[in-house]
Amino acid sequence: MTSPESAVETAGDTPLMISVVVICYRQEKFIADALDSILAQTAYDRIDRVIVVDDKSPDGSFDIIQDYAAKHPKIQAVRHEVNSRGASVPRNTGIALATAPYIAFLDGDDIWMPTKIEEQVAVLEEHPEIGLLFSDFITFDDKTGAERPSTTVRYSLGEPNQLRKFFVQGGPVIPSCAVVSRAVIDEVGPFETNLRFNEDSEMWNRVASAAPLHHLPRPLFRKREWFGSKGSGVNDAGQIASKHEITRRMIERVPELAEVADKRSSGIELQAAVRNFRRGATAEARAHLKKALEHDPKNRKARLYLAVSHLPGSTDRWLNILRGLQHGVLRRAQ
């Protein structure tokens, strides 16, 4: 079998290349899966280097990374001397070492689908004006293996008011599904290091202010949920505060976004309500829904969720039914 490093590009003299930035902290159980998913890419020849940044993990993560770097010439192992207590600093370390005109990101506990880079390269070659290219994904439980499809808001080239739409609706754009133009990063700056939450969302909003976004409507990576992953806990106060701070910063950057700030704030409260419903905190969820309607009385989803919260039975059951109807598939409630 031909090794990934021996693949040779024959389609042209200057093939579009991508640098990959992998960040890792305390992920010795998962980092090999992440790196194997890069090595298994059908377009591995379009990856010029893989920068794996360990944020001073206290476990054996870096030993595994070094082992991969010793066996695969494209992989570069980097270790921080001090833990940065966040994702932005290690991502920025990787960005500084990247050499290709596009940068893809992968968290050390996630897994790429084999055709991810191939499919994204094909789009970028046809549309080099894209600043941020991303996709849907599949979320899976590390213990049970249970999977659920996770779709994002659709964005396509040429649609009007794309920045306003992204400012209000977001994605989500998980870094592990994103490919970003290096030129755009150089223009808007790297990831913010002074936000505890939603630093990626803040970055994508800045990118959206400078270049078009495009979404591929199919899953190109698998997002792992495990106890200890960033998304495994809930901190509503911190999440909401950081999102409102992003609102303030983006309005400062693009003043006309103030026209839709209330819609964005309403959506922030709605998201907090859904998180609380999922953990059974119905009273807190209703409080967030009321705030959502204060910001935007026309938020029909918030009004519907508030009504559903008063129906008999589990609110989460009713929300599952509503989500199923929205996606055209009625999920069977337990």
Side-chain angles (χ1 to χ4, degrees):
M1 180 180 292
T2 303
S3 68
E5 278 77 12
S6 66
V8 178
E9 171 60 40
T10 59
D13 295 332
T14 55
L16 185 150
M17 301 298 290
I18 292 177
S19 292
V20 180
V21 173
V22 183
I23 62 170
C24 177
Y25 177 69
R26 202 165 51 85
Q27 293 166 339
E28 65 177 349
K29 294 181 179 179
F30 314 126
I31 187 63
D33 288 344
L35 296 178
D36 285 342
S37 76
I38 296 173
L39 295 171
Q41 288 298 299
T42 55
Y44 187 81
D45 56 306
R46 294 303 189 95
I47 296 173
D48 75 331
R49 65 194 312 190
V50 180
I51 304 120
V52 190
V53 184
D54 179 75
D55 202 21
K56 198 173 176 57
S57 296
D59 59 10
S61 296
F62 192 61
D63 291 336
I64 297 170
I65 295 167
Q66 285 183 306
D67 183 58
Y68 272 80
K71 296 176 181 177
H72 303 281
K74 288 187 180 182
I75 297 179
Q76 178 181 357
V78 180
R79 180 173 171 84
H80 283 167
E81 292 301 319
V82 178
N83 175 255
S84 69
R85 303 181 66 83
S88 290
V89 172
R91 285 194 186 118
N92 290 344
T93 296
I95 289 171
L97 294 170
T99 53
Y102 292 92
I103 300 174
F105 299 95
L106 179 62
D107 288 351
D109 52 357
D110 291 337
I111 300 170
W112 279 353
M113 304 295 196
T115 62
K116 177 189 184 288
I117 293 299
E118 179 181 358
E119 294 189 48
Q120 291 182 317
V121 162
V123 174
L124 292 170
E125 284 183 326
E126 188 172 351
H127 299 285
E129 70 274 23
I130 292 174
L132 170 63
L133 178 63
F134 59 101
S135 70
D136 293 335
F137 55 98
I138 293 173
T139 301
F140 72 100
D141 186 285
D142 183 61
K143 279 190 174 182
T144 67
E147 297 184 348
R148 68 176 186 273
S150 298
T151 58
T152 75
V153 178
R154 271 50 176 154
Y155 297 87
S156 57
L157 290 172
E159 67 177 316
N161 300 315
Q162 196 179 68
L163 173 59
R164 289 166 70 99
K165 176 181 174 181
F166 190 80
F167 178 68
V168 172
Q169 299 185 35
V173 180
I174 308 300
S176 292
C177 73
V179 175
V180 190
S181 162
R182 177 57 186 262
V184 174
I185 292 177
D186 289 343
E187 178 181 347
V188 304
F191 289 90
E192 281 287 352
T193 58
N194 58 0
L195 283 174
R196 186 179 178 189
F197 301 100
N198 302 296
E199 73 289 335
D200 49 351
S201 176
E202 193 274 342
M203 173 68 155
W204 308 145
N205 270 278
R206 281 186 283 126
V207 169
S209 73
L213 314 178
H214 189 66
H215 166 264
L216 290 173
R218 50 191 173 276
L220 293 181
F221 91 100
R222 300 176 72 236
K223 179 174 176 56
R224 188 191 309 265
E225 285 189 341
W226 59 284
F227 181 77
S229 62
K230 187 174 180 181
S232 64
V234 175
N235 184 327
D236 282 331
Q239 291 277 352
I240 291 172
S242 69
K243 289 177 180 179
H244 286 314
E245 172 61 16
I246 293 168
T247 301
R248 185 194 67 77
R249 294 185 186 191
M250 285 304 298
I251 291 174
E252 187 175 274
R253 188 181 189 90
V254 185
E256 54 265 34
L257 291 177
E259 299 171 6
V260 290
D262 278 337
K263 285 189 175 182
R264 173 177 163 86
S265 295
S266 183
I268 290 169
E269 296 293 343
L270 176 60
Q271 291 168 4
V274 172
R275 287 196 299 271
N276 277 278
F277 277 136
R278 286 175 177 168
R279 62 179 181 175
T282 302
E284 290 87 344
R286 288 173 181 160
H288 284 297
L289 289 174
K290 290 175 182 177
K291 288 182 180 179
L293 291 169
E294 288 173 4
H295 285 293
D296 180 12
K298 295 181 180 180
N299 188 330
R300 290 182 293 179
K301 186 178 288 187
R303 196 170 296 280
L304 178 60
Y305 281 15
L306 186 59
V308 163
S309 74
H310 292 281
L311 293 175
S314 165
T315 299
D316 192 55
R317 173 181 181 272
W318 289 109
L319 291 180
N320 282 340
I321 292 173
L322 287 174
R323 283 193 292 270
L325 290 171
Q326 289 167 1
H327 293 293
V329 177
L330 182 58
R331 291 175 56 184
R332 185 176 181 180
Q334 299 298 320

